[in-house]
């Protein structure tokens, strides 16, 4: 029996954790949610939407709010699968529906809550012998006394960040003091931040898919481990930092590595390291890991994103909106529609699918 799918989007900022705030994306991923729902409907998959006849360009016609009422409204209209195109956390309203047996596409909320904390994630990766940059925790209490065990330039970052929002390349102690003061006074990121050594080498983004059955080149393949899509190189950084995709569409500053680059020992090893990271955080949907080389060409995993952006060129007015994951998928022959249909194949119910 064909699934009846509803896509939900983020409607509120997640609760603070230990005084740390994850800022909300304007629009709460309604745009990518509409891209997903439109793609599914185009593929003759039964999409449940708030509007009976959604307008192609009207994002909110396609997606339900991620509140208990919004999710229940989708189920009342017939949805049996909820696509979690939202930021999850422990206590998110979707949890009671997962407990009740609804199928979902997306991550386990409790796991997202844990691993959205970049310092917790980095510690896990480090303990499993994965390469991460050196960093230092900075709070209101130690902002005047913390010590760097690495030199400038450094990168100042939110602990529960989202993409490049609030990420700054800092060249001097005075500049860092000023930026920290601004970030703390804004209240956008909570009571703690961190500074990380700046890696000046090539940056790539690697999307890691969960285990499951996939259709690639017309053939059904069973992947029994997490596996990587081809890495995507980032370029045209703004002051050393990849710009936010809402400012510069990623198709204008990103490209998939060519075949010879993909076959280098360093890139094969980096993909394997990202796959281990995905296993460690128990991902059940795509995650995106940003990696960068130091001056000696050694690669490091510097940012693991449990909720990668999933915009795509499915609607006619958004032909330049392929996400980094969609760009990577094209290298293995997947259109955005193929990516979305293969993601749907990985839907899961509580206790019905265990991560290997």
């Amino acid at each position: 029996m064909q699934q009846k799918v509803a896509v939900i989007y983020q409607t509120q900022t997640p609760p603070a954790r230990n005084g740390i705030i994850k800022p909300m994306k304007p629009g709460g991923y309604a745009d990518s949610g509409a891209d997903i729902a439109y793609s599914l409907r185009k593929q003759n998959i039964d999409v449940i939407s708030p509007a009976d006849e959604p307008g192609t360009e009207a994002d909110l016609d396609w997606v339900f709010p991620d509140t208990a009422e919004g999710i229940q409204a989708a189920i009342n209209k017939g949805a049996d699968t909820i696509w979690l195109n939202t930021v999850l956390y422990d206590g998110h309203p979707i949890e009671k529906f997962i407990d009740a047996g609804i199928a979902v596409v997306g991550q386990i909320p409790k796991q997202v809550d844990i691993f959205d904390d970049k310092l917790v994630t980095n510690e896990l990766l480090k303990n499993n012998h994965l390469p991460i940059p050196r960093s230092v925790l900075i709070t209101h209490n130690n902002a005047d006394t913390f010590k760097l065990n690495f030199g400038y330039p450094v990168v100042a970052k939110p602990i529960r960040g989202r993409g490049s929002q609030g990420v700054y390349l800092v060249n001097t102690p005075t500049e860092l003091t000023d930026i920290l003061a601004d970030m703390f006074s804004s209240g956008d990121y909570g009571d703690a931040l961190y500074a990380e050594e700046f890696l000046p080498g090539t940056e790539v983004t690697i999307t890691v898919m969960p285990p499951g059955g996939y259709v690639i080149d017309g053939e059904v393949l069973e992947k029994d481990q997490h596996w990587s899509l081809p890495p995507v190189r980032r370029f045209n950084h703004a002051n050393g930092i990849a710009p936010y995709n809402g400012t510069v569409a990623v198709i204008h500053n990103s490209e998939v590595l060519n075949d010879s680059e993909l076959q280098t020992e360093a890139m094969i090893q980096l993909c394997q390291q990202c796959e281990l990271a995905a296993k460690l955080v128990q991902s059940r949907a795509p995650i995106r890991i940003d990696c960068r080389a130091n001056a000696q060409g050694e690669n490091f995993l510097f940012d693991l994103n449990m909720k990668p952006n999933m915009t795509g060129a499915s609607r006619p007015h958004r032909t330049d909106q392929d996400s980094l994951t969609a760009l990577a998928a094209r290298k293995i022959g997947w259109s955005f529609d193929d990516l979305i249909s293969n993601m749907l194949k990985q839907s899961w119910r509580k206790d019905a699918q265990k991560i290997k």
Side-chain angles (χ1 to χ4, degrees):
M1 190 172 75
Q2 190 185 62
Q3 291 168 281
K4 297 183 177 182
V5 185
V7 181
I8 61 173
Y9 74 101
Q10 184 184 12
T11 57
Q12 56 191 355
T13 301
R17 294 289 186 247
N18 300 316
I20 301 168
I21 298 169
K22 183 181 181 74
M24 180 173 162
K25 177 186 176 182
Y29 303 98
D31 57 348
S32 55
D35 292 341
I36 292 165
Y38 184 92
S39 170
L40 292 170
R41 182 164 290 184
K42 189 166 63 172
Q43 299 178 72
N44 296 316
I45 293 165
D46 198 347
V47 173
I48 306 299
S49 56
D52 292 336
E53 297 184 11
T56 299
E57 299 185 13
D59 294 348
L60 295 180
D61 282 4
W62 294 93
V63 291
F64 290 88
D66 66 343
T67 59
E69 296 78 13
I71 298 165
Q72 188 62 59
I75 293 170
N76 290 347
K77 290 193 74 171
D80 57 26
T81 302
I82 307 297
W83 192 301
L84 309 180
N85 194 49
T86 184
V87 172
L88 300 170
Y89 50 85
D90 191 10
H92 190 283
I94 192 59
E95 287 184 329
K96 74 172 187 178
F97 296 96
I98 293 175
D99 289 342
I102 195 77
V104 296
V105 177
Q107 307 289 1
I108 303 167
K110 284 184 173 64
Q111 297 302 110
V112 176
D113 205 330
I114 294 168
F115 297 117
D116 260 349
D117 184 317
K118 298 184 186 303
L119 294 182
V120 168
T121 301
N122 283 355
E123 189 67 19
L124 173 69
L125 302 186
K126 180 181 178 182
N127 289 341
N128 284 273
H129 312 294
L130 293 174
I132 62 165
R134 292 171 292 179
S135 65
V136 60
L137 174 67
I138 305 171
T139 68
H140 277 298
N141 295 329
N142 77 347
D144 297 324
T145 61
F146 72 90
K147 302 294 184 183
L148 293 179
N149 62 345
F150 44 91
Y152 287 85
V154 303
V155 180
K157 305 172 73 170
I159 291 174
R160 289 182 177 268
R162 184 183 56 75
S164 58
Q165 181 180 359
V167 179
Y168 298 95
L169 179 64
V170 184
N171 294 294
T172 66
T174 300
E175 189 179 342
L176 180 58
T177 298
D178 292 343
I179 284 175
L180 291 175
D182 288 345
M183 292 175 74
F184 280 131
S185 65
S186 75
D188 290 341
Y189 311 105
D191 299 332
L193 305 162
Y194 72 112
E196 180 178 84
E197 65 175 316
F198 175 65
L199 303 170
T202 298
E203 179 176 341
V204 297
T205 288
I206 297 176
T207 295
V208 184
M209 306 294 288
Y214 294 86
V215 177
I216 303 176
D217 290 332
E219 183 179 352
V220 179
L221 299 178
E222 191 66 33
K223 302 278 193 177
D224 61 0
Q225 301 288 338
H226 289 85
W227 60 285
S228 301
L229 292 178
V232 176
R233 180 191 295 109
R234 311 299 308 279
F235 53 87
N236 288 346
H237 291 66
N239 192 28
I241 306 298
Y244 169 51
N245 69 289
T247 304
V248 180
V250 299
I251 66 167
H252 299 307
N253 61 16
S254 311
E255 62 185 4
V256 182
L257 299 186
N258 63 40
D259 291 343
S260 62
E261 291 170 325
L262 292 173
Q263 292 161 10
T264 62
E265 182 178 342
M267 203 51 57
I268 291 170
Q269 180 185 47
L270 185 60
C271 287
Q272 291 170 342
Q273 291 169 333
C274 289
E275 289 158 7
L276 174 56
K279 180 178 180 178
L280 291 170
V281 302
Q282 300 177 42
S283 68
R284 295 197 179 189
I287 64 169
R288 198 190 82 215
I289 303 177
D290 299 326
C291 310
R292 199 156 175 171
N294 63 11
Q296 290 72 45
E298 301 165 320
N299 288 307
F300 292 80
L301 286 63
F302 74 85
D303 197 358
L304 187 152
N305 301 278
M306 295 293 284
K307 166 69 179 78
N309 194 20
M310 203 54 64
T311 56
S314 63
R315 293 182 285 166
H317 67 295
R318 288 171 59 81
T319 55
D320 66 344
Q321 287 301 306
D322 269 347
S323 62
L324 291 165
T325 298
L327 283 179
R330 292 188 186 280
K331 182 67 175 177
I332 66 167
W334 280 355
S335 65
F336 182 69
D337 290 346
D338 295 329
L339 170 65
I340 295 305
S341 64
N342 275 283
M343 287 178 65
L344 179 59
K345 293 180 192 300
Q346 315 319 315
S347 61
W348 56 272
R349 286 185 172 85
K350 187 176 182 179
D351 299 328
Q353 177 181 316
K354 300 295 185 183
I355 296 297
K356 298 179 181 179

